[in-house]
């Protein structure tokens, strides 16, 4: 009981002494997505490359972590490493489906989902990360194959997001998901560095 109190007091001290800047840095370790005003073929090629290599980079990052380490949150109010990996699998499956809808329908209204609620489901909180990693590898392989075949006209097609009422152009969405990959990779990598696990 004494150990638990000591850990709790330490945790409260750390949280209370964190500045807003510290918390923002934990939440957005690489900053928010900053899309260039003009998206060039070089941007698209670079973003597709990020997506193509992401699952292997991710696997190498956490391959030596224990079950307990996987259940460590990246920030005081953040998801655990396990939840992040399962979230990436869920989110990028949605993204792949949005690309397919947009390529086969005229400005479809996509289906949003409650990612925070999904992260609280039993599979996200307890399932082995290997299943989501395999899924992510498959989704990214299919997505990259598809993206490399798109024409300029295809890249300029768009979908409508019901939560923001914004029209999202596919070439922008490629950049957003390349950023999303690096964003969550940085969450995990920074935690490993802070914990001296890397």
């Amino acid at each position: 009981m004494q150990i638990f109190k000591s850990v709790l007091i330490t945790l409260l001290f750390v949280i209370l002494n964190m500045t807003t800047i510290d918390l923002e840095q934990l939440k957005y370790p690489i900053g928010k997505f900053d899309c260039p005003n003009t998206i060039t073929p070089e941007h698209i090629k670079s973003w597709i490359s990020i997506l193509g290599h992401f699952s292997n980079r991710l696997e190498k990052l956490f391959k030596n972590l224990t079950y307990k380490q996987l259940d460590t949150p990246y920030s005081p109010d953040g998801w655990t490493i396990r939840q992040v990996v399962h979230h990436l699998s869920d989110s990028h499956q949605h993204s792949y489906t949005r690309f397919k809808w947009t390529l086969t329908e005229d400005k479809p209204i996509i289906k949003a989902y409650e990612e925070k609620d999904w992260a609280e489901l039993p599979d996200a909180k307890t399932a082995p990360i290997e299943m989501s990693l395999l899924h992510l590898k498959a989704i990214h392989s299919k997505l990259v194959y598809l993206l490399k075949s798109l024409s300029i006209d295809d890249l300029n097609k768009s979908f409508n997001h019901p939560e923001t009422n914004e029209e999202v152009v596919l070439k922008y969405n490629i950049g957003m998901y390349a950023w999303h990959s690096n964003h969550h990779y940085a969450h995990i990598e920074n935690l490993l560095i802070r914990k001296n696990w890397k």
Side-chain angles (χ1 to χ4, degrees):
M1 188 64 170
Q2 187 61 34
I3 294 173
F4 176 75
K5 284 181 182 178
S6 176
V7 169
L8 187 59
I9 289 168
T10 303
L11 183 60
L12 285 172
F13 176 80
V14 169
I15 292 170
L16 292 174
N17 285 289
M18 289 185 110
T19 65
T20 304
I21 294 170
D22 293 332
L23 291 172
E24 189 71 7
Q25 179 63 28
L26 285 175
K27 190 172 182 180
Y28 293 103
I30 62 169
K32 295 182 180 179
F33 180 50
D34 185 21
C35 189
N37 292 328
T38 302
I39 298 173
T40 66
E42 289 73 29
H43 290 123
I44 292 168
K45 186 177 179 181
S46 172
W47 293 336
I48 292 173
S49 178
I50 289 168
L51 293 169
H53 294 99
F54 177 63
S55 54
N56 287 332
R57 286 178 59 225
L58 187 64
E59 183 176 33
K60 288 176 187 170
L61 186 62
F62 58 64
K63 69 177 183 178
N64 294 320
L65 296 183
T66 66
Y67 195 91
K68 184 176 180 181
Q69 287 172 323
L70 290 171
D71 289 329
T72 306
Y74 67 82
S75 72
D77 61 345
W79 290 333
T80 65
I81 295 172
R82 185 183 311 279
Q83 286 172 299
V84 169
V85 175
H86 291 311
H87 161 71
L88 283 162
S89 173
D90 292 339
S91 174
H92 291 209
Q93 171 67 58
H94 275 81
S95 179
Y96 177 69
T97 303
R98 291 168 184 176
F99 276 100
K100 301 277 267 194
W101 275 332
T102 307
L103 292 167
T104 58
E105 300 176 22
D106 184 26
K107 295 185 181 178
I109 298 173
I110 58 100
K111 172 91 170 75
Y113 75 107
E114 298 296 333
E115 63 180 37
K116 289 180 182 176
D117 293 339
W118 282 44
E120 294 302 317
L121 291 172
D123 64 325
K125 293 186 88 170
T126 63
I129 58 172
E130 289 77 14
M131 62 176 64
S132 279
L133 182 62
L134 286 171
H135 182 241
L136 199 58
K137 283 181 178 182
I139 289 298
H140 276 225
S141 293
K142 292 183 74 172
L143 179 59
V144 166
Y145 189 90
L146 175 66
L147 295 178
K148 285 181 176 179
S149 72
L150 298 185
S151 67
I152 292 171
D153 286 344
D154 290 332
L155 292 167
N156 286 318
K157 291 181 178 180
S158 61
F159 62 81
N160 291 296
H161 200 293
E163 289 180 338
T164 60
N165 292 318
E166 290 181 354
E167 192 172 303
V168 180
V169 179
L170 289 186
K171 61 187 176 184
Y172 170 92
N173 209 46
I174 298 170
M176 171 58 84
Y177 274 86
W179 170 86
H180 188 253
S181 299
N182 287 335
H183 166 69
H184 284 303
Y185 183 93
H187 280 150
I188 298 170
E189 183 178 48
N190 289 352
L191 172 63
L192 301 191
I193 291 168
R194 287 194 311 273
K195 293 283 192 179
N196 226 5
W197 294 343
K198 184 177 179 185

